[in-house]
């Protein structure tokens, strides 16, 4: 099962290495990872997306807590969060295919961020499902490059 | 305000932490640190290999409860510490390891004797630091000692680039520690403790399973008091030995692969395990799915990650063993005063019977030098009051089985990592920590050769440890496995006639004896204990003696191999 774990850490050198090292040495897989400072510059948030059984995710969280630089961990409830990732897709586009691609982009409320003679670059943000959908529709045109951020997520409502 | 160097600041901070002794070895990147140490009254023990420094700091910590400190230079010095740090990590021993590092400007350039030691040590330290600013030193050292010695103890490494040790800093410079993510839970949840008390009162066949956590939290006393009230038999792990007196009727000694048959059977028959400061290592549980099939588990541990890691737990209690046991005892007393308890006489007589029926045994009538006989004599002649260090292998298991440990911090043995070569340097550290005690290393001929150069450390510093070498001319424990599971194909385990150990210890300036006859055992031990020097006794033991009982790897602990079953194998 997929779990999204949000980890607040001290914003210090080496902390990310400690976290990723812990995952590899205990045999857990990170599906995606996003890091950035929070509103407090001394604290960073690491959002991890992990595929694991219920028992393992419990162990993962406990082991993470043992890292001295980890301040707080939250497992987010997938039914009550806003979840986003951002993707840049560079796709083949000539004068014949361009209108069709633009149509898809409009439907998905994605953005064109670069247009060249034979290619278009599209930016999309959204949850994994939406992003995946766009990717599938663009594939037949020939995807030249695809760059994605890790997933980030925030729980809904006043709860932090 | 005067200025001092980073190196002087390190020494100042170590003194503030109450450090009395450092085990170490100098090198290029710690010369400034050693220069500052030269002016200090902190004792420094120069080992002969950095692994010895880490093990000695570990042994010192195990017998005193204080944080052991070791120093090594950058690169090879630091990497030589690694086995010792890993050993301390596996057994949750408080240690601060200080390593030199190349200058900050050179880091990452593959400079001479550069090693990414914080990277290398990350998986085997509780925490580690690379200090990049001299003003971080006071805070980092304070934090390191705090982290190493509190919560679940463990080693912390501080890597210090050489320029940081020569940079200047105000001598009174101070910064508060800042550990926003570090708050060990000490007090157990009272609701859970009440539940546990009820569960214990209702249990018909409970056992206590006490581990290293009981010793490190100083909970032996309260454990004894609780047992006195609750009358529950006590099984220990290897690291838990001494937490409860093995001379007590209710002691079942150690369980597991080479544990007592009665402890393994008691686990198997129990309906409740009250586990304190243990982590249910595979050497204890054997085949997990068949471990203690009828028992519910109450698990008390300071590390929440240990609870439920290996086995299912009915009542988890996160907290310090000493504090939780005290609360548990009063809740239990309160509960039984109101509701009474199930009569447990039947269980206690069953335990008594198990102990009578399945004592640890060896061939007492043999006129060969039996290792168990040697250990029993050591026990008698030290009146059970020595600190026993061990190497790893058969020697370790014979020491655990045939010495009766009655006090905490009297067995110093490498449990989790099983590090050959631990015993000799650890006994050096132990003797420095407890100069008032007889400190004995029960050694194996293979293990001791991994660190025999530390005989020099012991002799030159007049650290009068006694080495009782159970010399079988084999890597005995591996040979035992080869005998039982690999058709006696003794591939590379015979080390007969490696060296004349008596001459070896004499070469270092110590005293050596060789014992070939059973009749000589007792007198030679006596002599060794009396001589005011490092003494090594080379006991030429029955070479193919095995350790029994033995649970084959992957088998349930209720199925034990015993000596008579294997005669002729
Ligand atoms: C550093 C290290 N290398 C290898 C082993 C594997 N090992 C475990 S016990 C043992 C034999 C130990 O021989 P010895 O010290 O003579 O003890 P004995 O079993 O003969 O009493 C070996 C090789 C180990 N535990 N540690
Ligand atoms: Mg041997």
């Amino acid at each position: 099962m997929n779990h999204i774990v949000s980890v607040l850490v001290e914003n210090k050198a080496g902390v990310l290495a400690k976290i990723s090292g812990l995952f590899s040495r205990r045999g857990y897989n990170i599906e995606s990872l996003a890091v950035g400072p929070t509103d407090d510059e001394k604290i960073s948030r690491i959002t991890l997306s992990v595929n694991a059984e219920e028992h393992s995710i419990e162990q993962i969280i406990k082991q993470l807590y043992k890292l001295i630089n980890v301040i707080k961990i939250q497992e987010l409830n997938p039914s009550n969060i806003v979840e986003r990732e951002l993707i840049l897709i560079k796709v083949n586009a000539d004068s014949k295919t361009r209108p069709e691609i633009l149509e898809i982009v409009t439907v998905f409320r994605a953005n064109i961020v670069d247009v060249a003679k034979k290619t278009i670059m599209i930016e999309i943000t959204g949850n994994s499902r939406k992003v995946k959908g766009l990717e599938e529709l663009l594939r037949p045109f020939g995807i030249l490059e695809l760059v994605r951020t890790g997933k980030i997520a925030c729980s809904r409502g006043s709860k932090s | 305000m005067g200025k001092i160097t980073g190196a002087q600041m390190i020494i100042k901070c170590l003194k503030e932490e109450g450090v009395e002794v450092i085990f170490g070895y100098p090198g290029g990147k710690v010369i400034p640190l050693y220069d500052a140490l030269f002016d200090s009254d902190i004792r420094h023990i120069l080992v002969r290999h950095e692994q010895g420094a880490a093990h000695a700091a570990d042994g010192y910590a195990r017998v005193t409860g204080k944080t052991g400190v070791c120093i090594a230079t950058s690169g090879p010095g630091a990497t030589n510490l690694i086995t010792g740090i890993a050993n301390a990590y596996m057994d949750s021993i408080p240690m601060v390891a200080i390593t030199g590092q190349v200058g900050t400007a050179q880091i990452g350039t593959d400079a001479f004797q550069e090693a990414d030691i914080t990277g290398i040590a990350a998986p085997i330290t509780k925490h580690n630091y690379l200090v990049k600013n001299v003003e971080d030193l006071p805070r980092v050292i304070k934090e390191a000692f705090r982290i190493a010695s509190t919560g679940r103890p463990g080693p912390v490494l501080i890597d210090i680039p050489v320029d940081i040790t020569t940079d200047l800093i105000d001598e009174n410079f101070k910064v508060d520690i800042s550990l926003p993510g570090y708050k060990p839970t000490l007090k157990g949840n009272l609701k859970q403790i009440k539940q546990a008390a009820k569960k214990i009162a209702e249990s018909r066949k409970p056992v206590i399973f006490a581990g290293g956590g009981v010793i490190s939290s100083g909970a032996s006393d309260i454990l004894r008091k609780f047992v006195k009230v609750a009358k529950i038999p006590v099984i220990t792990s290897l690291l838990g030995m001494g937490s409860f007196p093995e001379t007590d009727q209710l002691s079942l000694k150690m369980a597991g692969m080479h544990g007592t048959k009665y402890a393994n059977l008691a686990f198997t028959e129990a309906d409740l395990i009250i586990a304190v400061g243990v982590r249910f290592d595979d050497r204890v549980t054997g085949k997990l799915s068949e471990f203690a099939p009828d028992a519910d588990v109450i698990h008390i541990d300071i590390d929440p990650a240990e609870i439920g890691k290996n086995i299912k737990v009915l009542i988890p209690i996160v907290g310090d063993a000493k504090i939780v046991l005290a609360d548990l005892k009063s809740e239990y007393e309160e509960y039984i005063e109101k509701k009474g308890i199930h009569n447990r006489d039947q269980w206690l007589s069953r335990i008594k019977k198990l102990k009578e029926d399945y004592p640890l045994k060896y061939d007492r009538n043999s006129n060969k030098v039996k290792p168990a006989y040697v250990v029993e004599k050591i026990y008698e002649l030290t009146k059970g009051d020595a600190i026993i260090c061990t190497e790893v292998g058969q020697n370790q298991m014979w020491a655990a089985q045939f010495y009766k440990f009655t006090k905490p911090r009297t067995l110093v043995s490498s449990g989790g990592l099983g590090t050959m070569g631990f015993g000799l340097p650890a006994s050096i550290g132990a003797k420095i920590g407890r100069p008032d005690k007889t400190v004995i290393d029960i050694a194996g001929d293979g293990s001791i050769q991994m660190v025999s150069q530390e005989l020099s450390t012991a002799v030159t510093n007049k650290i009068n440890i006694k080495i009782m070498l159970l010399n079988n001319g084999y890597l005995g424990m591996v040979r035992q496995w080869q005998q039982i599971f690999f058709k006696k194909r003794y591939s590379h385990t015979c080390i007969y006639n490696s060296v004349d150990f008596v001459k070896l210890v004499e070469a270092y300036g110590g005293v050596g004896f060789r014992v070939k006859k059973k009749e000589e055992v007792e007198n030679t031990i006596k002599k060794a204990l009396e001589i005011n020097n490092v003494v090594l006794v080379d006991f030429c033991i029955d070479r193919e003696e095995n350790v029994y009982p033995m649970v084959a790897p992957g088998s349930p602990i209720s199925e034990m191999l015993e000596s008579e079953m294997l005669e002729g194998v």
Side-chain angles (χ1 to χ4, degrees):
Chain A
M1 212 188 98
N2 190 268
H3 300 264
I4 298 177
V5 183
S6 172
V7 187
L8 289 178
V9 300
E10 290 182 80
N11 185 3
K12 283 187 176 163
V15 175
L16 188 59
K18 281 179 182 143
I19 291 195
S20 59
L22 184 138
F23 273 78
S24 68
R25 105 178 142 259
R26 296 222 176 240
Y28 312 132
N29 273 324
I30 302 178
E31 210 152 84
S32 93
L33 177 150
V35 199
T38 60
D39 53 321
D40 179 345
E41 61 178 23
K42 289 204 212 93
I43 296 175
S44 293
R45 183 185 298 279
I46 301 181
T47 309
L48 293 156
S49 160
V50 188
N51 239 332
E53 302 290 317
E54 203 52 49
H55 174 79
S56 314
I57 196 76
E58 228 175 82
Q59 257 296 308
I60 291 173
I61 291 175
K62 285 172 167 179
Q63 293 293 349
L64 280 172
Y65 259 122
K66 285 173 70 168
L67 296 174
I68 306 291
N69 301 121
V70 168
I71 299 168
K72 194 171 169 209
I73 304 171
Q74 248 183 315
E75 196 197 336
L76 300 176
N77 174 358
S79 63
N80 193 31
I81 54 171
V82 177
E83 169 206 321
R84 290 286 180 271
E85 55 191 304
L86 183 149
I87 297 202
L88 297 173
I89 309 175
K90 195 187 289 175
V91 63
N92 281 325
D94 54 27
S95 50
K96 271 202 285 185
T97 54
R98 195 163 286 160
E100 202 180 331
I101 291 173
L102 288 178
E103 205 172 306
I104 293 170
V105 166
T106 316
V107 172
F108 273 84
R109 278 187 275 164
N111 296 318
I112 307 282
V113 288
D114 183 57
V115 182
K117 249 193 196 141
K118 291 182 177 160
T119 62
I120 284 183
M121 196 196 303
I122 300 155
E123 170 204 301
I124 178 168
T125 46
N127 61 26
S128 320
R129 211 165 353 107
K130 176 173 167 192
V131 166
K132 188 101 191 135
L134 177 66
E135 191 187 324
E136 289 308 315
L137 286 179
L138 291 176
R139 196 173 297 284
F141 300 98
I143 294 176
L144 297 173
E145 227 176 309
L146 188 152
V147 184
R148 63 169 12 121
T149 63
K151 229 181 255 180
I152 57 169
C154 201
S155 58
R156 292 177 190 274
S158 55
K159 198 170 129 244
S160 80
Chain B
M1 225 186 285
K3 295 254 183 198
I4 57 174
T5 64
Q8 287 168 320
M9 180 53 95
I10 295 168
I11 300 296
K12 182 167 177 259
C13 293
L14 293 177
K15 282 213 62 105
E16 274 167 25
E17 295 301 327
V19 174
E20 313 158 322
V21 59
I22 294 172
F23 304 89
Y25 206 93
K29 298 297 180 277
V30 287
I31 293 177
L33 182 55
Y34 270 83
D35 192 63
L37 189 59
F38 206 45
D39 294 327
S40 154
D41 57 0
I42 296 181
R43 185 171 181 199
H44 178 270
I45 301 294
L46 177 68
V47 293
R48 297 296 180 268
H49 182 298
E50 290 87 350
Q51 181 184 349
H55 289 329
D58 180 324
Y60 171 87
R62 285 185 207 233
V63 301
T64 60
K66 298 178 193 162
T67 301
V69 180
C70 55
I71 298 184
T73 191
S74 69
T79 54
N80 271 351
L81 286 180
I82 288 298
T83 300
I85 295 174
N87 189 75
Y89 184 70
M90 288 295 272
D91 288 351
S92 306
I93 303 304
M95 179 189 291
V96 170
I98 297 175
T99 51
Q101 183 53 281
V102 301
T104 41
Q106 285 180 298
I107 288 178
T109 65
D110 303 314
F112 178 62
Q113 293 193 328
E114 177 179 4
D116 171 15
I117 202 65
T118 50
I120 292 168
I124 51 163
T125 46
K126 188 169 170 188
H127 193 50
N128 59 59
Y129 294 92
L130 170 59
V131 180
K132 289 192 169 157
N133 186 331
V134 69
E135 299 203 331
D136 288 338
L137 276 175
R139 176 183 55 81
V140 165
I141 292 171
K142 230 181 176 38
E143 287 180 5
F145 277 83
R146 171 76 59 89
I147 292 167
S149 62
T150 57
R152 178 178 181 174
V156 177
L157 182 136
I158 312 176
D159 196 24
I160 310 180
V162 62
D163 52 319
I164 303 295
T165 62
T166 52
D167 282 352
L168 295 178
I169 178 171
D170 282 341
E171 75 181 309
N172 293 318
F173 187 85
K174 269 206 177 81
V175 186
D176 280 347
I177 65 170
S178 156
L179 296 169
Y182 183 67
K183 303 174 211 81
T185 306
L186 299 179
K187 202 163 159 50
N189 180 307
L190 208 59
K191 231 172 76 193
Q192 313 274 83
I193 292 175
K194 278 185 200 290
Q195 262 181 40
K198 175 165 185 282
K199 186 81 196 167
I200 295 168
E202 288 171 356
S203 155
R204 288 165 194 272
K205 300 189 215 167
V207 292
I208 290 173
F209 180 28
V214 173
I215 289 175
S216 65
S217 80
S220 303
D221 253 9
I222 185 73
L223 173 67
R224 287 158 202 231
K225 286 182 186 142
F226 178 57
V227 172
K228 205 160 190 188
V229 174
K231 305 217 170 34
I232 300 172
V234 180
I235 297 171
T236 69
S237 64
L238 179 69
L239 292 191
M241 295 187 104
S243 61
F244 186 76
E246 295 183 347
T247 44
D248 192 294
Q249 277 189 353
L250 287 172
S251 166
L252 301 181
K253 275 186 86 85
M254 172 179 80
M257 184 171 272
H258 292 296
T260 60
K261 186 165 177 176
Y262 44 88
N264 286 348
L265 292 178
F267 261 148
T268 309
E269 294 177 17
D271 67 0
L272 179 68
I273 297 172
I274 305 140
V276 195
V278 284
R279 56 188 179 83
F280 292 96
D281 179 83
D282 53 83
R283 282 291 186 269
V284 167
T285 61
K287 188 178 182 187
L288 256 183
S289 57
E290 290 177 44
F291 174 72
D294 299 331
D296 286 322
V297 177
I298 297 169
H299 195 170
I300 301 166
D301 205 287
I302 196 151
D303 181 357
E306 286 307 338
I307 297 178
K309 184 180 80 177
N310 292 341
I311 63 161
K312 238 184 102 212
V313 170
L314 180 72
I315 306 177
I317 304 174
V318 177
D320 177 82
K322 187 174 168 180
I323 299 172
V324 173
L325 279 177
D327 287 345
L328 182 60
K329 176 170 171 286
S330 44
E331 289 301 328
Y332 181 81
E333 283 167 334
E334 196 173 304
Y335 185 88
I336 59 172
E337 187 158 321
K338 275 189 256 161
K339 309 244 168 141
I341 52 165
H342 271 294
N343 185 317
R344 288 208 272 261
D345 290 351
Q346 223 177 350
W347 177 234
L348 293 180
S349 45
R350 171 72 183 147
I351 293 288
K352 190 154 171 259
K353 178 107 180 26
L354 285 175
K355 282 181 79 169
E356 282 162 10
D357 287 355
Y358 306 114
L360 286 165
K361 52 191 170 194
Y362 68 94
D363 182 2
R364 286 170 198 277
N365 300 321
S366 162
N367 48 23
K368 294 184 179 162
V369 179
K370 290 284 183 182
Y373 175 77
V374 174
V375 175
E376 279 186 347
K377 285 293 156 201
I378 295 172
Y379 172 72
E380 282 171 32
L381 292 168
T382 57
K383 302 186 184 66
D385 196 37
I387 288 175
I388 301 294
C389 306
T390 78
E391 298 293 345
V392 165
Q394 293 181 315
N395 60 84
Q396 177 182 34
M397 291 299 113
W398 286 317
Q401 290 183 336
F402 291 97
Y403 201 92
K404 293 195 190 78
F405 296 91
T406 53
K407 291 179 204 119
R409 303 194 182 282
T410 54
L411 172 63
V412 176
S413 193
S414 168
L417 199 64
T419 312
M420 288 172 69
F422 170 73
L424 173 56
S427 63
I428 291 174
K431 181 73 185 169
I432 286 180
R434 291 301 304 271
D436 55 316
K437 288 271 180 186
T438 299
V439 176
I440 292 175
D441 178 27
I442 294 184
D445 47 323
S447 297
I448 199 166
Q449 289 188 74
M450 292 205 167
V451 292
S452 56
Q453 73 284 350
E454 301 306 337
L455 287 168
S456 173
T457 310
V459 173
T460 53
N461 289 290
K462 298 197 166 48
I463 304 163
N464 292 338
I465 51 170
K466 314 293 168 181
I467 298 140
M468 304 290 169
L469 177 63
L470 305 179
N471 188 350
N472 50 14
Y474 280 117
L475 303 176
M477 186 56 93
V478 181
R479 186 206 55 75
Q480 176 171 343
W481 283 50
Q482 289 172 330
Q483 176 186 346
I484 299 172
F485 307 116
F486 290 86
K487 303 188 180 122
K488 276 198 171 182
R489 287 159 53 85
Y490 294 163
S491 177
H492 301 280
T493 42
C494 182
I495 51 168
Y496 193 58
N497 269 344
S498 295
V499 63
D500 182 331
F501 285 101
V502 172
K503 283 193 185 143
L504 181 69
V505 69
E506 284 171 356
Y508 283 113
V511 177
F513 298 110
R514 180 163 296 115
V515 171
K516 289 185 165 167
K517 295 203 192 94
K518 188 177 182 181
E519 306 84 72
E520 299 163 356
V521 169
E522 187 157 351
N523 268 333
T524 315
I525 296 172
K526 252 190 219 156
K527 255 194 299 184
L529 294 176
E530 278 160 14
I531 290 172
N532 196 16
N533 195 344
V534 174
V535 184
L536 182 152
V537 186
D538 182 13
F539 292 98
C540 304
I541 61 166
D542 188 2
R543 290 197 61 207
E544 300 204 0
E545 180 79 339
N546 285 340
V547 182
Y548 294 114
M550 176 180 196
V551 177
S555 295
I557 57 168
S558 53
E559 290 170 20
M560 285 158 276
L561 306 173
E562 288 174 85
S563 51
E564 53 270 31
M565 298 157 76
L566 288 153
E567 262 166 38
V569 169

